[in-house]
């Protein structure tokens, strides 16, 4: 559901504050963005990054920030949808950090739900994941007589996508950069 532009502005401010807190390694500012309910679930990109409530979030976020010094936390394309005092969002994050002279960039996906509690937006569910290529087991080798589909047999040319429908670019207000 489309949200009011003022709500979008408020959520973007929360994301900006999150970016600043990560870059400053300000764990208290990050924890303050999570709802104080004890059953709030936050999930991070590492195997031990699952937490319940603010203390669980503090534990895994501190472990993540302790691994290296944040240099940059850049938010990319963001979608925000909502209904009343609840919004859900997805965004791409580029996290650049360094350890000594070694610097590395990581791609993450951040998704979650925020609630407006006492006129402040707080995370009530958060999932930060690191995309990785899935490695599937190889199957049996096809027999040599198996036919391979070709453009001639499928009716599609090299420059044509079968059953393609015209797409539309995302509205500019969805972009958060």
């Amino acid at each position: 559901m489309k949200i009011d532009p003022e709500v979008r502005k408020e959520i973007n401010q929360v994301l900006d504050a999150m970016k600043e807190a990560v870059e400053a390694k300000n764990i208290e500012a990050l924890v303050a963005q999570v709802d104080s309910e004890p059953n709030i679930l936050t999930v991070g990109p590492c195997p031990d990054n699952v937490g319940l409530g603010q203390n669980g979030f503090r534990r895994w976020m501190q472990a993540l920030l302790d691994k290296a010094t944040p240099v940059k936390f850049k938010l990319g394309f963001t979608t925000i949808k909502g209904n009343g005092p609840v919004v859900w969002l997805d965004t791409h994050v580029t996290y650049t950090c360094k350890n000594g002279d070694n610097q590395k960039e990581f791609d993450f996906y951040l998704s979650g739900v925020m609630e407006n509690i006492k006129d402040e937006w707080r995370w009530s569910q958060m999932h930060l994941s690191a995309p990785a290529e899935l490695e599937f087991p190889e199957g049996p080798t096809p027999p040599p007589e198996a036919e391979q589909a070709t453009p001639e047999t499928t009716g599609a040319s090299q420059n044509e996508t079968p059953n393609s429908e015209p797409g539309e670019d995302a509205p500019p207000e969805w972009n958060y950069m």
Side-chain angles (χ1 to χ4, degrees):
M1 303 175 140
K2 193 169 183 167
I3 61 171
D4 182 83
E6 185 60 32
V7 171
R8 180 174 300 284
K9 181 180 173 185
E10 291 169 7
I11 298 301
N12 285 339
Q13 289 170 342
V14 172
L15 293 172
D16 284 341
M18 182 179 188
K19 172 192 177 315
E20 290 171 15
V22 167
E23 289 177 351
K25 286 182 116 170
N26 185 343
I27 194 72
E28 295 308 317
L30 287 166
V31 171
Q33 292 187 338
V34 176
D35 187 13
S36 62
E37 289 290 321
N39 65 344
I40 300 304
L41 180 66
T42 54
V43 180
C46 301
D48 61 344
N49 289 162
V50 176
L52 281 174
Q54 288 181 330
N55 287 333
F57 175 71
R58 177 190 317 273
R59 181 186 50 77
W60 75 256
M61 184 55 81
Q62 187 67 59
L64 184 66
L65 293 176
D66 284 348
K67 292 185 187 300
T69 302
V71 175
K72 191 174 187 180
F73 188 84
K74 181 182 175 195
L75 296 158
F77 182 81
T78 301
T79 62
I80 305 170
K81 298 289 185 181
N83 190 1
V86 177
V87 298
W88 48 95
L89 63 94
D90 293 288
T91 189
H92 175 258
V93 175
T94 304
Y95 178 64
T96 308
C97 61
K98 68 185 209 174
N99 200 343
D101 292 334
N102 297 323
Q103 184 167 308
K104 187 161 185 174
E105 194 171 271
F106 295 95
D107 283 317
F108 292 116
Y109 298 125
L110 174 64
S111 62
V113 176
M114 288 185 181
E115 292 181 74
N116 192 314
I117 301 165
K118 297 180 185 172
D119 276 339
E120 291 188 10
W121 289 99
R122 303 268 186 229
W123 291 98
S124 59
Q125 187 276 327
M126 176 192 293
H127 187 184
L128 182 65
S129 62
E133 186 173 336
L134 299 176
E135 293 186 31
F136 292 94
E138 291 191 30
T141 306
E145 64 273 358
E147 271 190 27
Q148 300 294 324
T150 63
E152 294 80 32
T153 61
T154 61
S157 73
Q158 289 180 344
N159 297 325
E160 177 180 88
T161 305
N163 301 324
S164 65
E165 294 182 18
E168 184 176 319
D169 287 336
E173 68 269 12
W174 285 13
N175 289 314
Y176 180 88
M177 297 207 188

